[in-house]
Amino acid sequence: MGDILVGTCSWTDRELVGSGWYPVDRRDAEGRLRHYAERFPVVEVDASYYALPGERNSRLWAERTPDGFVFDVKAFSLLTGHPTRSAVMPDGLPADSRDPAVLDAVWARFAAGIAPLRRAGRLGGVLFQFPPWFRPGARAEAFLADTARRTEGWPVSVEFRHPDWWREGRAEATRALLARYAMAAVAVDMVQSLPSSLPPVVHVTSPRLSVVRFHGRSTAWGTGSKEDRFRHAYDEGELAEWVPRLERAAGQVEQLHVLFNNCCGDAAVRAAETMARLLGLSSPADRPGPFVPFRQDPLPGGPPGVPPRPRRPQRQEHEHSDR
């Protein structure tokens, strides 16, 4: 059985900070992260989608978290074909993903930004969430091949938002495509009544990692404000539906990351706490010894990654960065 790590998508979301979940004396940048990491073993960095991650922030995050804590970093918008504001582009470069020189420069900046996490053994994965218009076809497959080439050695997960990727008759080809590049398919929980709804199925495509993201079940998904899209408080029954699926997936991978993206107030952290309890997982503070993540591939010229560890049972920022 692989390790199941449960956490949330961002620890710096304004609504979470304002919800009262953080103690009064731990509301500065360092205090928030330390408080979060005492309760969960994984977090998703969403700020890296809106602006390229910085090496200084990555170093601080590694320094402020315990051994074994990992960060899943969301890929910068330009690298997944999303519209990107010129104001966040480095060195005055145009936000033009069709320009090979621009792409090379942005990829280099992104890789440098997450390098401290890789060196510290804290990079849980890099999430490539593709836009709804990224549909199956030759162009998309070429894009994925280029992404695989540029991310060789990284733990990578892929979330498709166009439903055709997982339609009946297409799903097996999608699984094979991601498996070819050892990319983890991201499963999602979302409302099932929309034309864009994706099925709640976990497709294991990498022996190293699998990821499930809980977006909430708002019918405003894809429309309205961020608060409308993500406003959902999971009840225990909704979460319990997923326990058998998660346990089956964990039996096929080294790590399964379960991340809650219903970031309205403290809804995500409360759902994560409930899911961890349903799965019989201990909190980081309750573990008898240091938790060691799966091996990190070493960087050229950098220290070696974390070596493989023996198995042991473990059960019984949306739009701003955290400096």
Side-chain angles (χ1 to χ4, degrees):
M1 175 73 70
D3 293 302
I4 304 178
L5 278 60
V6 179
T8 66
C9 300
S10 177
W11 72 100
T12 65
D13 186 83
R14 290 183 180 90
E15 291 209 9
L16 174 60
V17 173
S19 72
W21 186 73
Y22 288 109
V24 173
D25 61 346
R26 302 190 81 177
R27 292 184 182 174
D28 63 308
E30 180 173 355
R32 287 195 299 265
L33 183 52
R34 289 190 185 279
H35 181 79
Y36 178 96
E38 288 168 3
R39 286 151 181 80
F40 301 106
V42 62
V43 74
E44 182 178 290
V45 179
D46 281 355
S48 52
Y49 169 83
Y50 300 99
L52 284 162
E55 293 179 69
R56 178 178 177 274
N57 267 6
S58 291
R59 283 195 300 271
L60 289 174
W61 295 340
E63 292 167 3
R64 293 170 176 175
T65 49
D67 289 344
F69 186 91
V70 295
F71 296 83
D72 283 5
V73 181
K74 195 171 184 180
F76 182 54
S77 57
L78 193 84
L79 303 182
T80 51
H82 285 87
T84 302
R85 294 183 298 119
S86 297
V88 301
M89 291 294 291
D91 305 323
L93 291 170
D96 185 359
S97 61
R98 298 167 298 180
D99 186 327
V102 170
L103 267 182
D104 288 345
V106 171
W107 271 106
R109 284 293 191 95
F110 185 84
I114 65 174
L117 296 177
R118 294 187 65 203
R119 290 195 175 99
R122 303 294 174 79
L123 181 64
V126 179
L127 167 66
F128 288 82
Q129 184 190 55
F130 289 104
W133 54 87
F134 189 81
R135 64 179 67 225
R139 291 180 62 183
E141 292 192 20
F143 198 105
L144 286 170
D146 184 63
T147 300
R149 176 181 63 83
R150 293 179 184 270
T151 60
E152 186 176 2
W154 300 4
V156 168
S157 61
V158 171
E159 180 177 344
F160 295 121
R161 296 179 64 192
H162 194 292
D164 281 359
W165 288 99
W166 300 115
R167 297 276 191 214
E168 186 177 354
R170 167 71 211 188
E172 186 55 44
T174 298
R175 280 194 293 267
L177 176 65
L178 294 180
R180 181 189 313 162
Y181 301 123
M183 292 175 168
V186 175
V188 300
D189 180 88
M190 63 181 298
V191 66
Q192 291 297 298
S193 59
L194 303 176
S196 59
S197 296
L198 299 171
V201 178
V202 182
H203 301 280
V204 176
T205 56
S206 166
R208 188 179 196 183
L209 176 67
S210 190
V211 179
V212 181
R213 301 178 80 231
F214 284 74
H215 293 305
R217 298 183 179 182
S218 170
T219 55
W221 177 258
T223 62
S225 68
K226 186 192 81 171
E227 289 73 21
D228 291 335
R229 296 194 302 274
F230 295 102
R231 183 178 290 114
H232 181 77
Y234 282 99
D235 63 41
E236 190 163 317
E238 291 170 333
L239 298 178
E241 296 170 4
W242 275 90
V243 170
R245 301 169 194 159
L246 298 178
E247 291 180 332
R248 283 195 299 271
Q252 303 174 64
V253 294
E254 287 186 49
Q255 279 190 11
L256 170 65
H257 294 184
V258 180
L259 296 160
F260 285 86
N261 196 33
N262 55 320
C263 296
C264 278
D266 63 356
V269 292
R270 299 306 179 194
E273 291 166 350
T274 301
M275 180 62 85
R277 175 174 57 80
L278 291 172
L279 290 165
L281 303 177
S282 59
S283 70
D286 295 333
R287 293 190 184 116
F291 173 80
V292 183
F294 50 59
R295 178 181 60 82
Q296 300 281 311
D297 293 311
L299 289 169
V306 177
R309 56 163 172 75
R311 289 266 178 260
R312 73 168 185 274
Q314 180 184 344
R315 310 172 105 76
Q316 302 196 301
E317 18 212 56
H318 275 277
E319 299 181 3
H320 62 289
S321 63
D322 197 350
R323 296 186 180 276

